[in-house]
């Protein structure tokens, strides 16, 4: 079985971290490291992360494309993709756990005013302030899919007052569900800490704009771990400068790496992280990919196959 591994990271160490466990799981696996793919006719399955546009159309016998991340926005932007082949996005316990840790870490930092305390330390200021209990802190998650639902459940376990917004209504223990345009208004009006875990689609591009931010209560905080394309950067900066938004934690950007002259780097109310909210770990992703191949061989549908109409 010949599998293509195509990732922009040309680190041979990363390739070996995939090749060795795959080989150990099934000695018949021949993993080819792009661009040394050998005969293009041999390739049956592809494990990809941000492949070069146009590359996926080169393999006439390709059966499934496994995207090595949860977001498929960049992959689907390649209009030469063989769209008749199932495209499967990554849902694995490690990726989910990583994102939930990120959301918990930064929600707690906002909740406890840690950014203000960091500034105080720099100025040697000793000032105490009461903060509300978690049960009185309203956290709202845009996107209650695999990642949003897990983060919501863990925030709820910490006693936060959690709500989520999605396309379809959800029934999740301890999480208030909002949906649609009308639901979004009510959801935003109650949200003190807003977490974006939406996929980037034509419908969600630019959703974090001046109009949306204005509907949050004054002093709200934002955590964007979805995609940079969700955010209108200038609108956020205006909302931060006016004091309407107290702080923003941003993991994803229009351009990555974030250009050195971007104002987010130095804005006192912005925390920048370099798209590390959750990175794919071979240890937890490989069993998911192998199970997907097994299902495909058995002629069964593979979970988390992308719905091309919805774009996620
Ligand atoms: P899912 O597909 O499981 O969930 C997406 C959620 O968004 C669903 O609840 C869906 O609603 C909702 N949604 C989509 N479009 C709309 C819309 N137009 N209006 C309202 N709700 C909408 O995705 P995941 O949870 O697995 O991943 C989410 C995103 O997180 C990825 O697409 C990626 O961009 C980002 N990500 C970022 C990482 C990082 O390191 N920063 C790492 C991994 C992922 P419904 O359930 O009703 O369909």
């Amino acid at each position: 079985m010949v599998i293509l591994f195509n990732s922009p990271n040309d680190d041979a160490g990363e390739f070996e971290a995939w090749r060795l466990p795959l080989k150990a799981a099934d000695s018949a696996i021949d993993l080819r490291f792009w661009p040394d793919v050998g005969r293009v006719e041999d390739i049956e399955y592809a494990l990809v992360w941000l492949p070069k546009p146009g590359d996926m159309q080169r393999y006439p016998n390709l059966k499934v494309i496994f995207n090595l991340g949860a977001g498929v926005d960049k992959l689907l932007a390649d209009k030469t993709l063989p769209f008749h082949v199932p495209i499967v996005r990554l849902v694995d316990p490690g990726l989910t756990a990583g994102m939930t840790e990120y959301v918990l870490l930064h929600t707690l930092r906002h909740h406890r005013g840690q950014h203000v305390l960091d500034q105080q330390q720099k100025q040697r200021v000793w000032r105490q302030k009461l903060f509300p209990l978690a049960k009185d802190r309203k956290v709202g998650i845009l996107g209650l899919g695999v990642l949003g639902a897990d983060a919501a459940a863990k925030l709820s376990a910490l006693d936060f007052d959690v709500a989520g917004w999605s396309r379809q209504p959800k029934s999740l223990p301890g999480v208030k569900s909002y949906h649609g345009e009308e639901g979004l208004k009510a959801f935003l009006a109650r949200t003190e800490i807003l977490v974006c875990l939406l996929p980037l689609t034509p419908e969600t591009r630019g959703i974090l704009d001046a109009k949306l931010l204005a509907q949050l209560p004054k002093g709200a905080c934002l955590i964007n771990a979805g995609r940079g394309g969700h955010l209108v950067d200038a609108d956020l900066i205006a909302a931060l400068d006016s004091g309407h938004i107290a702080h923003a934690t941003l993991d994803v950007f229009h351009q990555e790496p974030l250009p050195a002259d971007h104002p987010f780097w130095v804005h006192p109310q912005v925390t920048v992280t370099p798209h590390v909210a959750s990175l794919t770990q071979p240890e937890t992703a490989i069993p998911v990919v192998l199970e997907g191949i097994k299902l495909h061989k058995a002629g069964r549908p593979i979970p988390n196959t992308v719905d091309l109409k919805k774009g996620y």
Side-chain angles (χ1 to χ4, degrees):
M1 174 168 43
V2 182
I3 304 180
L4 166 71
F5 184 84
N6 188 335
S7 147
N9 188 352
D10 60 358
D11 172 4
E14 188 203 2
F15 176 64
E16 286 301 289
W18 285 84
R19 194 184 68 82
L20 294 175
L22 279 168
K23 196 90 189 156
D26 181 346
S27 60
I29 291 179
D30 173 4
L31 192 68
R32 307 257 175 99
F33 191 22
W34 188 90
D36 297 325
V37 301
R39 272 170 33 98
V40 289
E41 293 81 9
D42 294 346
I43 305 294
E44 295 170 276
Y45 299 95
L47 313 185
V48 305
W49 181 242
L50 308 178
K52 217 168 154 208
D55 190 61
M56 285 298 110
Q57 64 175 338
R58 294 172 55 221
Y59 311 106
N61 298 317
L62 189 59
K63 294 178 180 143
V64 182
I65 298 175
F66 291 93
N67 187 59
L68 296 181
V72 287
D73 45 290
K74 286 241 166 70
L75 183 66
L76 298 187
D78 177 0
K79 295 304 167 207
T80 70
L81 271 191
F83 285 103
H84 61 281
V85 165
I87 297 168
V88 179
R89 63 186 203 88
L90 186 65
V91 170
D92 89 62
L95 196 69
T96 304
M99 181 57 80
T100 294
E101 284 178 15
Y102 185 88
V103 172
L104 292 181
L105 167 68
H106 292 285
T107 300
L108 284 165
R109 282 182 61 86
H110 290 306
H111 169 57
R112 298 286 299 253
Q114 188 58 44
H115 308 292
V116 176
L117 300 180
D118 289 347
Q119 294 296 333
Q120 283 183 201
Q121 182 181 349
K122 279 194 192 128
Q123 293 152 15
R124 303 177 190 222
V125 170
W126 184 276
R127 187 183 301 135
Q128 297 175 324
K129 194 177 167 227
L130 259 185
F131 45 85
L133 294 169
K135 73 177 181 55
D136 298 318
R137 180 71 80 190
K138 293 182 168 58
V139 182
I141 305 184
L142 288 168
L144 270 186
V146 174
L147 302 179
D150 191 69
K154 307 278 163 52
L155 286 165
S156 172
L158 285 181
D159 230 13
F160 282 104
D161 183 351
V162 186
W165 182 72
S166 48
R167 243 208 313 220
Q168 305 298 324
K170 307 277 172 197
S171 173
L172 300 170
V175 182
K176 298 178 179 80
S177 165
Y178 294 82
H179 68 284
E181 265 312 300
E182 274 313 299
L184 182 59
K185 264 192 217 160
F187 165 85
L188 293 171
R190 72 175 296 283
T191 295
E192 296 169 278
I193 300 175
L194 180 69
V195 181
C196 178
L197 283 176
L198 287 166
L200 184 62
T201 67
E203 285 172 37
T204 63
R205 185 175 289 280
I207 189 171
L208 302 173
D209 63 0
K211 184 172 160 233
L212 179 145
L213 297 172
Q215 293 177 71
L216 294 167
K218 186 172 164 53
C221 294
L222 169 70
I223 298 170
N224 185 21
R227 284 289 179 262
H230 289 129
L231 180 65
V232 179
D233 295 4
D235 289 1
L236 174 63
I237 289 173
L240 290 165
D241 290 347
S242 74
H244 183 69
I245 300 295
H247 200 99
T249 298
L250 308 174
D251 186 55
V252 284
F253 304 91
H254 285 269
Q255 190 183 335
E256 296 180 4
L258 183 65
D261 60 352
H262 196 289
F264 285 156
W265 280 117
V266 291
H267 199 291
Q269 292 148 264
V270 175
T271 298
V272 167
T273 57
H275 201 145
V276 289
S278 194
L279 298 174
T280 298
Q281 317 242 11
E283 181 189 342
T284 51
I286 284 174
V288 175
V289 169
L290 288 173
E291 179 63 16
I293 293 175
K294 199 166 116 194
L295 289 170
H296 180 263
K297 286 188 166 176
R300 293 171 52 197
I302 310 174
N304 306 302
T305 296
V306 174
D307 178 334
L308 295 176
K309 277 204 205 91
K310 289 200 291 186
Y312 64 96

